[in-house]
């Protein structure tokens, strides 16, 4: 039975998201712990909730008796790197849910030069390209093998 | 008990739709049972801002991850390649990339030419008119004149090369290697009521524009208009036999879970290379204690996937990203057997454009390429829209130990045992993969790519489900004859990829559908003595 995240787990998740993708004034983007993005993350744990909770439990274990959010920034970084080195499906689920909410935020997409919209109905333009590139291929004899 | 029908088709995907449409000529009463739903174009992910995220939920390609009510669980723990599929009207044509090559003439003669596996009981020349008919029905784009194939004329012009295609084309020309615009089941012009492609770029999980040919919008509207009944949310548990050992019909569950018997004069199975053996193995009787039509013991055996070897890299200029259909070119430079290599048979390269923002971030994080922390943003901007890639589609030879059986534990929502997959990549395929990876690196480097990576085999790459109820003339070594009729049960036909004798090295949908049309044609020609 899937359980909602506890308040401590939510705090740790937010701290982890901010460590993984911090805000950047240089690129003009928020971090993954931004209130809007983090609300999206919490709302989209979906079928990954159990794996995310498992990753957060491991994060807490690695924090050595403290919450991850309660660690000083340098120590968070070290704990995060330890978790990353361990790998595993729970970590993959944790990072995936952060990334799939971060990289659809309007501000983030705008900073990447991407239009914040779904593909349909406007679509995209793709250039036809130079079809004369095929000329040398057209001159080749048949490659396919004749059969008896 | 429902009214008896003349023809009962199980499965509405690539082959089931084609055979249903073709048989409408006969004016017989035809019913198709489909375990999934109709999918509305407005439900496809590319309609919404969460379009990429839904690749990991209700439009995941792996049914175990997707886990819709209409899916069944697949125990794939003992396979390095996981089965991917879709259950709904259109079957896995809803969720495919629309890359649409044909098998080669040599693929039907591998025993004669290369001394391995077996020849098919049909050949390219026999299927040629059915390829053409299917191209017309499906709406295929491409460019005539490919030296890798016998002549054929796709009905629509090819997909755009884009920046990625031109970069690959130049690289292949420098190497002197074959490349060509792919045949694709994507409308590049308005076609038979379908709107042309507008480069949504998110083709695999359904096309909101309707430019990608899935059988719900190609064959099915015509088949239904001609009188075929398509009944959705009907999951078949077993095919039943009469006292003469002929197929009597099926038992199925409707959406409410209620059990029904559906009698039929003839049953046609079109459930793909995993679903078909699952159904046959679950249809046991006194006459067939090891599964229906399985006197050869080959039902479920010889599973072939096409291991995929994906290579990719990053170039210094922004390319197409995920805009446009993801696959637009192929190379068959290494398709045919070359005696100087240490393997027989060969492979196709399919060239791909880039990824969307989320998929690039997730895959690059998983590969350890995208750091956490301050440097994340700088590195990410060097990756997004800079990726080019290519996959080798490796010809898998049939091996009996690669098989589908019934899982002793996992069951679907109606209590029907799910399939279990036991599969290993064969020695010939491994050598081919090594060859392909070396050539892929050469191509990527010629295209100016750096930071080259690979995924071998693609984990969720079990798109092509072939060989598990093979064709043949010898009933001891095959399940169906040369026109799809089961050797053991003469009013039972199989028309999907499970009847393939060998796999070739191309995406199979075009050939699956041509073969289904051929079998339907054979049925029509033999109606007077079909069950003799």
């Amino acid at each position: 039975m899937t359980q909602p995240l506890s308040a401590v787990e939510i705090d740790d998740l937010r701290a982890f998201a901010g460590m993984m993708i911090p805000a950047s004034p240089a690129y003009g983007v928020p971090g993954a712990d931004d209130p809007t993005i983090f609300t999206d993350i919490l709302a989209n744990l979906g079928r990954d909730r159990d794996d995310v909770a498992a990753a957060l439990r491991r994060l807490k274990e690695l924090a050595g008796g403290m919450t991850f959010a309660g660690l000083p920034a340098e120590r968070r970084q070290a704990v995060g790197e330890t978790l990353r080195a361990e790998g595993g499906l729970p970590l993959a689920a944790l990072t995936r849910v952060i990334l799939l909410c971060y990289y659809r935020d309007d501000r983030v997409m705008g900073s990447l030069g991407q239009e914040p919209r779904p593909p349909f109905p406007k679509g995209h333009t793709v250039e036809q390209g130079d079809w004369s590139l095929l000329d040398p291929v057209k001159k080749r004899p048949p490659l396919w093998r004749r059969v008896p | 008990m429902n009214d008896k029908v003349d023809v009962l088709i199980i499965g509405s995907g690539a082959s089931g739709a084609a055979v249903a449409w073709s048989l409408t000529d006969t004016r017989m009463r035809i019913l198709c049972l489909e375990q999934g739903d109709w999918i509305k174009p407005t439900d496809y992910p590319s309609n919404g801002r969460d379009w990429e995220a839904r690749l990991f939920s209700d439009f995941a390609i792996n049914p175990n991850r997707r886990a819709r009510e209409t899916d069944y669980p697949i125990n794939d723990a003992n396979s390095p390649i996981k089965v991917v599929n879709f259950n709904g009207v259109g079957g896995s044509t809803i969720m495919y990339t629309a890359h649409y090559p044909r098998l080669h003439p040599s693929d039907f003669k591998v025993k004669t030419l290369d001394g391995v596996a077996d020849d098919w009981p049909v050949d390219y020349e026999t299927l040629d008119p059915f390829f053409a008919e299917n191209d017309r029905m499906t709406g295929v784009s491409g460019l005539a004149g490919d030296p890798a194939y016998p002549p054929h004329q796709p009905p629509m012009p090819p997909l755009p090369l884009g920046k990625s295609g031109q970069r690959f084309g130049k690289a292949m020309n420098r190497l002197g290697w074959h490349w060509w615009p792919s045949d694709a089941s994507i409308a590049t012009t308005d076609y038979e009521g379908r709107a042309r492609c507008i480069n949504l770029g998110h083709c695999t999980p359904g096309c909101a524009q309707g430019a990608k040919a899935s059988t719900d919008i190609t064959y099915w509207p015509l088949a239904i208009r001609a009188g075929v009944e398509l009944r959705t949310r009907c999951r078949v548990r077993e095919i039943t036999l009469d006292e003469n050992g002929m197929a009597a019909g099926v038992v199925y569950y409707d959406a409410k879970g209620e059990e029904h018997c559906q009698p039929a004069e003839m049953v046609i199975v079109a459930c793909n290379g995993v679903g078909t053996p699952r159904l046959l193995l679950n249809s046991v009787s006194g006459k067939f204690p090891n599964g229906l039509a399985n006197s050869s013991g080959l039902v479920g055996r010889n599973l072939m996937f096409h291991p995929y070897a994906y290579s990719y890299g990053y170039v210094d200029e922004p390319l197409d990203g995920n805009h446009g259909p993801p696959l637009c070119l192929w190379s068959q430079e290494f398709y045919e057997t070359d005696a100087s290599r240490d393997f027989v048979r060969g492979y196709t390269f399919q060239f791909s454009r880039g990824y969307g923002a989320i998929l690039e971030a997730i895959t690059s994080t998983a590969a350890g390429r995208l750091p956490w922390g301050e440097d994340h943003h700088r590195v990410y901007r060097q990756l997004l829209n800079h990726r080019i890639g290519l996959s080798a589609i490796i010809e898998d030879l049939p091996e009996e130990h690669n098989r589908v059986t019934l899982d002793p534990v996992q069951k679907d929502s109606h209590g029907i045992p799910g399939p279990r997959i036991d599969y290993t990549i064969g020695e010939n395929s491994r050598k081919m993969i090594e060859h392909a990876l070396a050539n892929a690196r050469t191509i990527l480097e010629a295209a100016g790519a750096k930071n080259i990576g690979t995924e071998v085999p693609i984990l969720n790459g079990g798109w092509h489900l072939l060989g598990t109820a093979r064709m043949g003339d010898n009933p001891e070594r095959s399940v169906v004859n040369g026109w799809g009729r089961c050797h053991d049960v003469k009013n039972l036909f199989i028309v999907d990829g499970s009847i393939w004798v060998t796999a070739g090295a191309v995406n199979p949908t075009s050939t699956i559908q041509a073969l289904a049309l051929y079998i339907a044609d054979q049925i029509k020609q033999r109606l007077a003595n079909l069950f003799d």
Side-chain angles (χ1 to χ4, degrees), chain B residues 202-268:
Chain B
H202 204 50
C203 305
T204 303
C207 178
Q209 169 81 344
K212 184 180 90 170
S214 44
T215 62
D216 59 326
I217 59 170
T218 56
Y219 282 102
W220 276 115
L222 297 175
I224 290 169
R225 203 175 304 150
V228 178
E229 181 188 356
L230 174 54
R231 216 176 280 168
T232 57
R233 294 301 295 269
C234 296
R235 177 173 276 155
V236 176
R237 184 184 74 201
E238 62 180 290
I239 299 166
T240 55
L241 290 182
D242 66 16
E243 62 278 10
N244 299 313
M246 300 284 275
V250 302
V251 178
Y252 74 90
Y253 298 103
D254 67 16
K256 295 176 186 165
E258 291 174 4
E259 185 179 307
H260 299 264
C261 291
Q262 177 60 57
E265 296 288 349
M266 174 182 13
V267 176
I268 299 176

Side-chain angles (χ1 to χ4, degrees), chain A residues 22 47 103-104 127 140 143, chain B residues 49 65 147 166 333 377:
Chain A
R47 59 193 75 198
Y103 282 108
R104 66 184 181 201
E127 64 187 67
R140 289 187 64 161
L143 285 85
Chain B
R49 288 293 305 278
R65 169 78 186 181
Q166 290 178 97
E333 183 70 28
H377 303 286

Side-chain angles (χ1 to χ4, degrees), chain A residues 16 19-22 24 27 29 47-48 80-81 84 91 95-96 99-100 102-106 109 111-112 114 116-131 133-134 136-138 140-148, chain B residues 46-51 53 56-57 65-66 105-106 113-114 143 147-150 158-163 166 170 173 176-181 198-200 208-209 323 333 336-337 358 361-362 365 370 372-373 376-378 380-381 385:
Chain A
F16 181 85
M19 179 208 70
M20 184 178 160
I21 311 179
S24 170
Y27 291 101
V29 289
R47 59 193 75 198
D48 288 321
E81 286 306 322
R84 185 167 195 170
L91 176 65
T95 56
R96 183 170 59 228
L99 291 165
L100 66 82
Y102 186 78
Y103 282 108
R104 66 184 181 201
D105 179 83
D106 286 3
M109 298 306 281
S111 82
L112 293 165
Q114 308 271 305
R117 64 170 176 87
F120 186 79
K122 194 173 170 188
H124 303 288
T125 300
V126 176
E127 64 187 67
Q128 275 294 320
D130 178 6
W131 289 102
L133 287 170
L134 269 175
V137 191
K138 289 176 179 172
R140 289 187 64 161
L143 285 85
W144 56 281
R145 205 171 171 192
R146 308 276 172 177
V147 298
Chain B
S46 53
N47 287 284
R49 288 293 305 278
D50 55 355
W51 57 280
F56 301 94
S57 58
R65 169 78 186 181
R66 192 171 60 235
S106 64
L113 294 172
D114 297 319
L143 184 67
Y149 272 101
L159 297 168
L161 291 173
K163 291 186 172 70
Q166 290 178 97
K170 288 173 187 168
N173 284 349
W177 288 351
H178 169 264
W179 64 283
W180 200 259
I198 52 172
N199 301 305
L200 301 181
Q209 169 81 344
H323 297 174
E333 183 70 28
E336 306 286 3
T337 294
I358 289 174
I362 289 174
T365 297
L370 183 58
W372 297 351
H376 177 95
H377 303 286
R378 181 189 66 81
Y380 184 74
R381 281 156 178 77
N385 296 341

Side-chain angles (χ1 to χ4, degrees), chain B residues 181-330:
Chain B
S182 302
D183 286 4
S185 50
I186 295 173
T188 50
T189 59
D190 293 346
Y191 188 82
E192 300 290 335
R194 278 161 53 203
R196 73 183 70 191
C197 175
I198 52 172
N199 301 305
L200 301 181
H202 204 50
C203 305
T204 303
C207 178
Q209 169 81 344
K212 184 180 90 170
S214 44
T215 62
D216 59 326
I217 59 170
T218 56
Y219 282 102
W220 276 115
L222 297 175
I224 290 169
R225 203 175 304 150
V228 178
E229 181 188 356
L230 174 54
R231 216 176 280 168
T232 57
R233 294 301 295 269
C234 296
R235 177 173 276 155
V236 176
R237 184 184 74 201
E238 62 180 290
I239 299 166
T240 55
L241 290 182
D242 66 16
E243 62 278 10
N244 299 313
M246 300 284 275
V250 302
V251 178
Y252 74 90
Y253 298 103
D254 67 16
K256 295 176 186 165
E258 291 174 4
E259 185 179 307
H260 299 264
C261 291
Q262 177 60 57
E265 296 288 349
M266 174 182 13
V267 176
I268 299 176
V269 187
C271 304
N272 79 42
V274 168
T276 289
R278 177 197 183 205
L279 175 59
L280 296 176
L281 293 171
N282 201 48
S283 301
V284 293
S285 61
K287 185 171 183 189
F288 294 106
N290 299 316
L292 187 59
N294 194 21
S295 66
S296 66
L298 291 175
V299 171
R301 292 190 181 272
N302 297 305
L303 173 67
M304 296 172 284
F305 273 135
H306 291 141
Y308 266 69
Y310 174 58
S311 302
Y312 60 94
Y314 295 87
V315 298
D316 53 7
E317 65 162 344
L319 301 176
D320 303 315
N322 76 314
H323 297 174
L327 303 174
C328 62
L329 305 177
W330 64 44

Side-chain angles (χ1 to χ4, degrees), chain B residues 123-144:
Chain B
D123 57 23
Y124 185 94
E125 193 176 5
T126 304
L127 292 183
D128 196 23
F130 301 97
F131 275 123
E133 182 174 44
N134 184 57
D135 281 1
R136 181 179 59 78
M137 286 296 295
T138 297
V140 174
S141 61
L143 184 67

Side-chain angles (χ1 to χ4, degrees), chain B residues 12 19 25 47 78 93 116 135 142 154 161-162 203 223 271 282 298 377 382 413 417 434 442 446 469 510 520:
Chain B
S12 70
V19 82
D25 291 348
N47 287 284
N78 193 34
T93 64
V116 293
D135 281 1
L161 291 173
C203 305
C271 304
N282 201 48
L298 291 175
H377 303 286
Q382 294 175 343
S413 56
E434 291 308 312
T442 299
S510 169

